[in-house]
Amino acid sequence: MAHEEHGSILKALDGAKTQCYHVKAVVISGMGFFTDSYDLFVISLITKLLGRIYYQVPGSSSPGSLPDDISAAVSGVAFAGTFLGQIFFGCLGDKLGRKRVYGLTLLIMTICSICSGLSLGKDPKTVMVTLCFFRFWLGFGIGGDYPLSATIMSEYANKRTRGAFIAAVFGMQGIGILAAGAVSLLVSGLFESHFPSRAYVLDGAATTVPEADYVWRIILMFGAIPALLTYYWRVQMPETARYTALVAKNADKAASDMTKVLNVDIEASSAKHDQARVSSDQFGLFSTKFLCRHGLHLFGTASTWFLLDIAFYSQNLFQKDIFTTIGWLPPAKTMNALQELFLIARAQTIIACCSTVPGYFFTVFFIEKMGRYWIQIVGFAMMTIFMFALAIPYHHWTLPANRIGFVVLYSFTFFFSNFGPNATTFIVPAEIFPARLRSTCHGISAASGKAGAMVGSFGFAALVKALGMSNTLYIMGGINLAGLLITALIIPEPKGRSLEELTGETKPETNQEKIVV
């Protein structure tokens, strides 16, 4: 293959047929994302249970609930850690290499998943402080997984199916959300069958059985299992040839690694050929040249991810409140603690099965046909339409006869966020920035998204309380519309083009060496 591709490792990678190593890379990276999404989204399922266990007011007519500030902290602290982890590990991935820090992120996630479930103490303050502490560091490890997984997959993949492979990695987020609901259903159902109790309205605080304290801990600790299963294979992955050859400038190592990956003999001269073709103009992130060449793209990837995550995480973390508001879930006082968790998990699982997971895999199937640009445009457009369709006749949807219609439209917003910008905002930053800054720029874009997630997690409940659900849905529609406009004006289309061509790293080629797109 080295001879056929004119002595170029990069062209060999771009033109490679789909092989076992592609699938293996998707699985290894994807299991990290499965763990990421499980850990981030499972917290929304157990906050009601935490409120009943630790914040019950004796003699109250309604079950205990987390105070607003505690609820926001528990829901959002992992995003603060993720925000910092994305920037830190993104930069580290460009400085030390993708592989050297890839296993570390998984190790942090494993340890902190376990420690979150073992949060110390029995009094509310101690439990919440330790839970928030470990979830912050859990988020820090999760943050590193975003730029590293995306960058590794983009640099391993061929140019024909690169988008589909990166989308497949990100699609494991949907499976993680589904798993969070399924595990919560299973654990709460088992405990309810063994430790039954009556509705709160009948027995008050006694309906929250002492064993319920084990339920949320088991659910949180489950997140460590998939991370542990793939740790060995992650640390055994070779460094990407693009980093080794173009950034680390180690031609022998790049040739050796890619010989194993591609199952063909590749000589070090191939990597040296690639090094000669790549521009020696090594401008930095804060240089004027970067600003001129890639500044607008970085603004586009960061801002669209920021806007998307405000709406996306608001919907995910607080969907239980939306379902309660429209009456899809019965009043809390008519259930015991484990029944409430079971019904919340069931609602999330139904949404995940019907809209969230299909949306991710529609992206995998269509991304090389439609391209990243049009999927993101259509996704933002449909999210805008469905949000306004919920907001304008909001009173109509709250009537008992129309609640199923609300859930259907609400599910479509999830479908088109995942068959749309939730996937493409992850994919595009891994393709359009130079190799030496790729992980850093992806980390910055992802961190902007998590800033949006923090706005959503801390601000959504406050908005609903201050303005009402209808006005909040109007605001979410406006945010999606802003994402549509920025996408239309700034985001490029990377489909079918090599990474080096997209970033302008390669020098002009002559005759037979020219890349055909």
Side-chain angles (χ1 to χ4, degrees), residues 51-116:
R52 287 198 186 227
I53 295 171
Y54 295 107
Y55 288 89
Q56 181 61 50
V57 178
S60 173
S61 61
S62 59
S65 60
L66 294 179
D68 289 344
D69 57 339
I70 301 296
S71 178
V74 169
S75 298
V77 69
F79 296 135
T82 304
F83 173 86
L84 295 176
Q86 285 166 332
I87 295 175
F88 177 78
F89 285 109
C91 294
L92 211 60
D94 284 331
K95 296 293 183 184
L96 302 180
R98 290 67 161 119
K99 179 196 170 181
R100 290 182 66 181
V101 292
Y102 203 30
L104 177 60
T105 61
L106 209 60
L107 199 58
I108 293 172
M109 289 155 56
T110 302
I111 293 170
C112 291
S113 289
I114 296 170
C115 290
S116 294

Side-chain angles (χ1 to χ4, degrees), residues 19 41 57 60 73 76 83 150 195 221 239 241 280 306 350 356 418 477 479 501 517:
Q19 300 177 31
F41 291 109
V57 178
S60 173
F83 173 86
F195 307 102
M221 287 191 286
E239 181 59 86
S280 59
F306 173 80
I350 291 171
T356 305
N418 296 313
I479 288 170
E501 181 187 5
V517 180

Side-chain angles (χ1 to χ4, degrees), residues 177-469:
I177 294 171
L178 183 61
V183 171
S184 300
L185 275 172
L186 177 63
V187 176
S188 60
L190 286 173
F191 272 77
E192 167 64 13
S193 66
H194 285 82
F195 307 102
S197 62
R198 299 201 297 172
Y200 183 88
V201 71
L202 299 175
D203 286 342
T207 62
T208 304
V209 296
E211 291 79 8
D213 193 51
Y214 294 111
V215 171
W216 68 269
R217 296 176 185 274
I218 292 170
I219 291 170
L220 289 183
M221 287 191 286
F222 181 85
I225 296 175
L228 280 173
L229 291 176
T230 53
Y231 176 77
Y232 173 79
W233 288 277
R234 180 169 287 200
V235 298
Q236 292 300 312
M237 289 181 74
E239 181 59 86
T240 70
R242 283 183 160 92
Y243 181 86
T244 306
L246 305 184
V247 182
K249 306 294 186 184
N250 188 337
D252 292 330
K253 179 65 173 169
S256 173
D257 287 345
M258 288 307 99
T259 294
K260 298 173 185 175
V261 166
L262 296 174
N263 295 317
V264 294
D265 291 328
I266 296 177
E267 299 178 357
S269 59
S270 299
K272 291 176 181 176
H273 171 85
D274 291 322
Q275 291 169 356
R277 286 178 51 230
V278 172
S279 171
S280 59
D281 187 6
Q282 302 289 297
F283 53 84
L285 180 67
F286 300 104
S287 66
T288 303
K289 279 193 175 181
F290 178 87
L291 184 63
C292 293
R293 294 188 186 185
H294 303 289
L296 196 59
H297 288 160
L298 184 57
F299 170 77
T301 57
S303 60
T304 51
W305 207 335
F306 173 80
L307 294 168
L308 177 277
D309 273 8
I310 292 176
F312 182 75
Y313 281 91
S314 294
Q315 291 169 239
N316 268 287
L317 290 173
F318 297 101
Q319 60 180 279
K320 61 184 183 300
D321 301 314
I322 294 172
F323 292 149
T324 301
T325 300
I326 66 165
W328 205 40
L329 295 177
K333 64 183 180 181
T334 64
M335 302 176 281
N336 66 42
L338 295 178
Q339 287 171 341
E340 184 177 36
L341 172 58
F342 184 89
L343 291 179
I344 291 170
R346 186 180 68 178
Q348 177 165 305
T349 304
I350 291 171
I351 294 293
C353 286
C354 296
S355 62
T356 305
V357 173
Y360 284 108
F361 290 99
F362 263 67
T363 301
V364 174
F365 184 77
F366 285 105
I367 194 163
E368 300 300 352
K369 297 177 175 66
M370 292 177 62
R372 292 71 155 148
Y373 176 84
W374 281 109
I375 287 180
Q376 188 157 314
I377 285 284
V378 171
F380 268 130
M382 297 307 293
M383 289 170 68
T384 303
I385 291 169
F386 285 118
M387 274 297 171
F388 285 138
L390 293 174
I392 294 169
Y394 179 72
H395 176 70
H396 167 82
W397 297 120
T398 61
L399 300 176
N402 303 322
R403 287 169 183 168
I404 295 298
F406 181 99
V407 173
V408 170
L409 289 183
Y410 185 67
S411 297
F412 273 118
T413 66
F414 277 106
F415 177 82
F416 281 104
S417 65
N418 296 313
F419 179 40
N422 192 41
T424 53
T425 52
F426 175 81
I427 296 167
V428 173
E431 300 180 295
I432 63 174
F433 298 107
R436 66 185 181 281
L437 297 171
R438 185 170 291 132
S439 180
T440 300
C441 290
H442 194 285
I444 292 170
S445 301
S448 297
K450 283 302 166 283
M454 284 187 278
V455 171
S457 61
F458 288 109
F460 185 83
L463 272 178
V464 172
K465 184 173 288 188
L467 303 176
M469 185 64 75

